[in-house]
Amino acid sequence: QKEVEQNSGPLSVPEGAIASLNCTYSDRGSQSFFWYRQYSGKSPELIMFIYSNGDKEDGRFTAQLNKASQYVSLLIRDSQPSDSATYLCAVVSGYSTLTFGKGTMLLVSP
Amino acid sequence: SAVISQKPSRDICQRGTSLTIQCQVDSQVTMMFWYRQQPGQSLTLIATANQGSEATYESGFVIDKFPISRPNLTFSTLTVSNMSPEDSSIYLCSVVSGNDLYEQYFGPGTRLTVT
């Protein structure tokens, strides 16, 4: 059973701070890793993907991957109230289908 | 990116009945998926919709309960059969338009309530 684990939160940060969202996965053979953002009542939207160990930056977002520790994270710099949403970690293994974590709710207060 | 529409956007149905959800994409896509998101839960893959052949179902989901059609590269339907309150959920269509899974986009979802 492939599992993707996330802290459900909520993670509360003040505006302008760095939000750190974490995800662990059970399948050591996992190859691709994705972060989706889901606003309440909306469908998920892809914000980042990472395939290799290390960091990948895109604007205010940085994805970090450590395959040895089976750990992937998402950092959001200069957090804004509009970043308040649920962030879903998703992992691809083997059969090229996504396994999602339950998501971490992020609340950014003005 | 692909533009995906789903019909209906929401529905309230009685137990024992069936509902068919439609997913339409504005361009041809390589892969189409159906997911379920129950209240407070994450997304669970129901099946991969295969064009011109039977869908590939994930563990715990069967064709008799969730028949799926995909007659072409832009359209798919999911039927939720013989519904019970436990089927109350959001059903999402998802597509991949390229060869890499990172190009996966989700439709707006269908919110189903079974009474």
Side-chain angles (χ1 to χ4, degrees), chain B residues 27-75:
Chain B
S27 59
Q28 293 185 347
V29 295
T30 54
M31 301 179 75
M32 297 182 78
F33 305 95
W34 286 98
Y35 286 83
R36 179 173 73 182
Q37 187 172 31
Q38 295 180 306
Q41 301 297 314
S42 189
L43 290 93
T44 301
L45 180 63
I46 297 171
T48 302
N50 300 309
Q51 193 228 340
S53 64
E54 189 173 292
T56 304
Y57 289 86
E58 298 299 304
S59 176
F61 298 96
V62 295
I63 188 171
D64 290 346
K65 176 68 176 177
F66 298 102
I68 289 171
S69 77
R70 188 181 172 190
N72 56 50
L73 293 175
T74 63
F75 184 79

Side-chain angles (χ1 to χ4, degrees), chain A residues 11-21 37 59-61 74-85 87 106-110:
Chain A
L11 173 66
S12 296
V13 300
E15 183 174 359
I18 296 175
S20 178
L21 303 159
R37 178 176 61 199
R60 295 186 296 113
F61 299 97
L74 179 69
L75 301 179
I76 306 175
R77 290 182 299 281
D78 188 24
S79 295
Q80 301 297 308
S82 59
D83 294 325
S84 298
Y87 289 80
L106 173 65
L107 298 176
V108 181
S109 55

